Short mmCIF file of all heavy atoms in Angstrom, two decimals:
data_model
loop_
_atom_site.label_atom_id
_atom_site.label_comp_id
_atom_site.label_asym_id
_atom_site.label_seq_id
_atom_site.Cartn_x
_atom_site.Cartn_y
_atom_site.Cartn_z
N VAL A 25 60.65 -0.20 22.39
CA VAL A 25 60.78 0.32 21.09
C VAL A 25 60.10 1.73 20.92
O VAL A 25 59.06 1.92 21.56
CB VAL A 25 60.24 -0.66 20.00
CG1 VAL A 25 61.05 -1.89 19.92
CG2 VAL A 25 58.78 -0.92 20.17
N SER A 26 60.79 2.56 20.11
CA SER A 26 60.15 3.76 19.61
C SER A 26 60.00 3.76 18.15
O SER A 26 61.07 3.45 17.44
CB SER A 26 60.95 4.97 20.08
OG SER A 26 60.42 6.22 19.52
N VAL A 27 58.78 4.02 17.62
CA VAL A 27 58.57 3.84 16.14
C VAL A 27 58.40 5.18 15.55
O VAL A 27 57.65 5.98 16.04
CB VAL A 27 57.36 2.90 15.90
CG1 VAL A 27 57.12 2.77 14.38
CG2 VAL A 27 57.62 1.49 16.47
N SER A 28 59.02 5.44 14.34
CA SER A 28 58.92 6.67 13.69
C SER A 28 58.54 6.49 12.24
O SER A 28 59.16 5.52 11.53
CB SER A 28 60.18 7.53 13.75
OG SER A 28 60.49 7.82 15.07
N LEU A 29 57.81 7.36 11.69
CA LEU A 29 57.49 7.41 10.23
C LEU A 29 58.01 8.71 9.78
O LEU A 29 57.49 9.78 10.30
CB LEU A 29 56.05 7.29 9.88
CG LEU A 29 55.46 5.84 9.66
CD1 LEU A 29 55.55 5.02 11.02
CD2 LEU A 29 54.05 5.84 9.22
N VAL A 30 58.94 8.81 8.85
CA VAL A 30 59.54 10.06 8.51
C VAL A 30 59.29 10.37 6.96
O VAL A 30 59.67 9.46 6.16
CB VAL A 30 61.11 10.04 8.70
CG1 VAL A 30 61.73 11.37 8.24
CG2 VAL A 30 61.41 9.65 10.14
N ASN A 31 58.64 11.46 6.68
CA ASN A 31 58.32 11.82 5.31
C ASN A 31 59.67 12.09 4.46
O ASN A 31 60.37 13.00 4.83
CB ASN A 31 57.34 12.91 5.29
CG ASN A 31 56.67 13.09 3.87
OD1 ASN A 31 57.03 12.43 2.93
ND2 ASN A 31 55.75 14.01 3.84
N ASN A 32 59.76 11.41 3.40
CA ASN A 32 61.04 11.57 2.56
C ASN A 32 60.85 12.85 1.62
O ASN A 32 61.74 13.25 0.94
CB ASN A 32 61.33 10.40 1.71
CG ASN A 32 61.99 9.27 2.52
OD1 ASN A 32 62.92 9.51 3.31
ND2 ASN A 32 61.59 8.08 2.25
N SER A 33 59.68 13.46 1.68
CA SER A 33 59.42 14.68 0.92
C SER A 33 59.26 15.81 1.85
O SER A 33 58.75 15.68 2.93
CB SER A 33 58.17 14.50 -0.02
OG SER A 33 57.74 15.84 -0.41
N SER A 34 59.74 16.98 1.42
CA SER A 34 59.53 18.21 2.25
C SER A 34 58.31 19.00 1.93
O SER A 34 57.97 19.95 2.63
CB SER A 34 60.74 19.17 2.10
OG SER A 34 60.88 19.56 0.76
N SER A 35 57.54 18.54 0.93
CA SER A 35 56.33 19.26 0.52
C SER A 35 55.08 18.40 0.41
O SER A 35 53.99 18.94 0.56
CB SER A 35 56.61 19.95 -0.86
OG SER A 35 56.93 19.02 -1.80
N ASN A 36 55.18 17.06 0.19
CA ASN A 36 54.02 16.30 0.07
C ASN A 36 53.30 16.21 1.44
O ASN A 36 53.91 16.00 2.51
CB ASN A 36 54.41 14.86 -0.37
CG ASN A 36 54.78 14.73 -1.77
OD1 ASN A 36 54.43 15.59 -2.54
ND2 ASN A 36 55.43 13.66 -2.12
N ARG A 37 51.99 16.32 1.41
CA ARG A 37 51.16 16.40 2.67
C ARG A 37 50.44 15.03 2.68
O ARG A 37 49.55 14.77 1.79
CB ARG A 37 50.21 17.58 2.68
CG ARG A 37 51.03 18.87 2.80
CD ARG A 37 50.29 20.03 2.17
NE ARG A 37 50.21 19.88 0.70
CZ ARG A 37 49.83 20.88 -0.14
NH1 ARG A 37 49.16 21.85 0.42
NH2 ARG A 37 49.84 20.70 -1.43
N VAL A 38 50.85 14.24 3.70
CA VAL A 38 50.39 12.78 3.63
C VAL A 38 49.63 12.46 4.94
O VAL A 38 50.17 12.69 6.07
CB VAL A 38 51.61 11.82 3.46
CG1 VAL A 38 51.10 10.43 3.40
CG2 VAL A 38 52.43 12.20 2.29
N ALA A 39 48.40 12.00 4.85
CA ALA A 39 47.68 11.60 6.03
C ALA A 39 47.97 10.17 6.37
O ALA A 39 48.20 9.33 5.57
CB ALA A 39 46.17 11.65 5.69
N VAL A 40 48.15 9.97 7.72
CA VAL A 40 48.45 8.70 8.26
C VAL A 40 47.31 8.21 9.12
O VAL A 40 46.86 8.97 9.97
CB VAL A 40 49.74 8.71 9.05
CG1 VAL A 40 50.03 7.39 9.69
CG2 VAL A 40 50.92 9.17 8.14
N ASP A 41 46.81 6.99 8.93
CA ASP A 41 45.71 6.47 9.90
C ASP A 41 45.90 4.95 10.09
O ASP A 41 46.73 4.32 9.44
CB ASP A 41 44.43 6.69 9.15
CG ASP A 41 43.21 6.68 9.99
OD1 ASP A 41 43.44 6.48 11.20
OD2 ASP A 41 42.09 6.93 9.50
N ASP A 42 45.28 4.54 11.18
CA ASP A 42 45.30 3.10 11.48
C ASP A 42 46.61 2.57 11.58
O ASP A 42 46.89 1.47 10.88
CB ASP A 42 44.30 2.30 10.52
CG ASP A 42 42.83 2.70 10.58
OD1 ASP A 42 42.40 3.17 11.59
OD2 ASP A 42 42.14 2.60 9.58
N LEU A 43 47.45 3.05 12.37
CA LEU A 43 48.78 2.57 12.57
C LEU A 43 48.85 1.51 13.71
O LEU A 43 48.33 1.80 14.88
CB LEU A 43 49.76 3.70 12.90
CG LEU A 43 51.19 3.38 13.43
CD1 LEU A 43 51.91 2.66 12.30
CD2 LEU A 43 51.86 4.60 13.77
N SER A 44 49.33 0.31 13.51
CA SER A 44 49.44 -0.66 14.53
C SER A 44 50.62 -1.53 14.40
O SER A 44 51.15 -1.66 13.28
CB SER A 44 48.14 -1.59 14.49
OG SER A 44 48.08 -2.24 13.23
N TRP A 45 51.02 -2.09 15.43
CA TRP A 45 52.15 -3.16 15.25
C TRP A 45 51.91 -4.27 16.32
O TRP A 45 51.32 -4.04 17.39
CB TRP A 45 53.49 -2.51 15.43
CG TRP A 45 53.95 -1.98 16.74
CD1 TRP A 45 54.35 -2.60 17.89
CD2 TRP A 45 53.97 -0.54 17.06
NE1 TRP A 45 54.65 -1.71 18.85
CE2 TRP A 45 54.48 -0.43 18.43
CE3 TRP A 45 53.65 0.68 16.40
CZ2 TRP A 45 54.65 0.71 19.08
CZ3 TRP A 45 53.87 1.82 16.98
CH2 TRP A 45 54.30 1.92 18.34
N THR A 46 52.38 -5.43 15.86
CA THR A 46 52.31 -6.60 16.86
C THR A 46 53.47 -6.60 17.78
O THR A 46 54.59 -6.10 17.45
CB THR A 46 52.28 -7.83 16.02
OG1 THR A 46 53.40 -8.04 15.20
CG2 THR A 46 51.04 -7.90 15.15
N CYS A 47 53.41 -7.34 18.83
CA CYS A 47 54.49 -7.49 19.81
C CYS A 47 55.48 -8.49 19.23
O CYS A 47 55.20 -9.28 18.38
CB CYS A 47 53.99 -8.09 21.13
SG CYS A 47 52.75 -7.07 21.97
N TYR A 48 56.73 -8.42 19.71
CA TYR A 48 57.73 -9.37 19.38
C TYR A 48 58.46 -9.76 20.68
O TYR A 48 58.99 -8.87 21.36
CB TYR A 48 58.80 -8.84 18.33
CG TYR A 48 59.94 -9.94 18.08
CD1 TYR A 48 59.53 -11.01 17.28
CD2 TYR A 48 61.08 -9.75 18.56
CE1 TYR A 48 60.50 -11.96 16.98
CE2 TYR A 48 62.14 -10.69 18.25
CZ TYR A 48 61.69 -11.79 17.54
OH TYR A 48 62.69 -12.78 17.16
N SER A 49 58.37 -11.06 21.01
CA SER A 49 58.79 -11.36 22.33
C SER A 49 60.23 -11.98 22.33
O SER A 49 60.73 -12.33 23.34
CB SER A 49 57.85 -12.49 22.89
OG SER A 49 57.56 -13.47 22.02
N GLY A 50 60.88 -12.13 21.22
CA GLY A 50 62.27 -12.63 21.21
C GLY A 50 62.37 -14.12 21.38
O GLY A 50 61.41 -14.88 21.68
N SER A 51 63.65 -14.63 21.30
CA SER A 51 63.87 -15.99 21.30
C SER A 51 63.48 -16.70 22.67
O SER A 51 63.16 -17.85 22.68
CB SER A 51 65.26 -16.29 20.85
OG SER A 51 66.26 -15.67 21.84
N SER A 52 63.76 -16.00 23.79
CA SER A 52 63.53 -16.60 25.08
C SER A 52 62.12 -17.04 25.24
O SER A 52 61.75 -18.07 25.68
CB SER A 52 63.94 -15.69 26.14
OG SER A 52 65.36 -15.39 26.15
N ALA A 53 61.15 -16.08 24.92
CA ALA A 53 59.74 -16.33 25.03
C ALA A 53 59.31 -17.39 24.03
O ALA A 53 58.44 -18.18 24.30
CB ALA A 53 58.94 -15.13 24.84
N ARG A 54 59.95 -17.39 22.85
CA ARG A 54 59.60 -18.40 21.86
C ARG A 54 59.91 -19.82 22.41
O ARG A 54 59.16 -20.86 22.11
CB ARG A 54 60.41 -18.24 20.54
CG ARG A 54 59.82 -17.15 19.75
CD ARG A 54 60.21 -17.37 18.28
NE ARG A 54 61.65 -17.48 18.04
CZ ARG A 54 62.45 -16.46 17.85
NH1 ARG A 54 61.94 -15.26 17.95
NH2 ARG A 54 63.73 -16.65 17.68
N GLN A 55 60.96 -19.96 23.18
CA GLN A 55 61.25 -21.22 23.84
C GLN A 55 60.14 -21.66 24.85
O GLN A 55 59.70 -22.76 24.86
CB GLN A 55 62.59 -21.20 24.56
CG GLN A 55 63.76 -21.06 23.58
CD GLN A 55 65.05 -20.82 24.34
OE1 GLN A 55 65.14 -20.78 25.46
NE2 GLN A 55 66.16 -20.60 23.54
N ALA A 56 59.70 -20.60 25.50
CA ALA A 56 58.52 -20.93 26.46
C ALA A 56 57.35 -21.24 25.76
O ALA A 56 56.59 -22.03 26.25
CB ALA A 56 58.35 -19.64 27.40
N GLN A 57 57.08 -20.66 24.52
CA GLN A 57 55.86 -20.88 23.79
C GLN A 57 55.95 -22.13 22.96
O GLN A 57 54.96 -22.68 22.53
CB GLN A 57 55.59 -19.73 22.87
CG GLN A 57 55.38 -18.41 23.61
CD GLN A 57 55.66 -17.18 22.70
OE1 GLN A 57 55.88 -17.32 21.49
NE2 GLN A 57 55.57 -16.02 23.37
N SER A 58 57.22 -22.59 22.61
CA SER A 58 57.31 -23.73 21.80
C SER A 58 56.54 -24.97 22.26
O SER A 58 56.11 -25.74 21.45
CB SER A 58 58.83 -24.04 21.51
OG SER A 58 59.43 -24.46 22.73
#
């Protein structure tokens, strides 16, 4: 995956910090984990 945050304003100046995401392993791994 490639993750993007796109500002919907052309003039607002917005600071971004502490960006994180969790993994997603899909249905196959869920079966293994079940």
Side-chain angles (χ1 to χ4, degrees):
V25 294
S26 174
V27 177
S28 297
L29 271 64
V30 182
N31 196 353
N32 282 317
S33 166
S34 61
S35 58
N36 286 341
R37 292 152 291 183
V38 185
V40 177
D41 202 357
D42 295 333
L43 171 61
S44 63
W45 67 79
T46 60
C47 303
Y48 179 73
S49 49
S51 59
S52 296
R54 281 205 306 275
Q55 292 172 1
Q57 296 157 9
S58 64

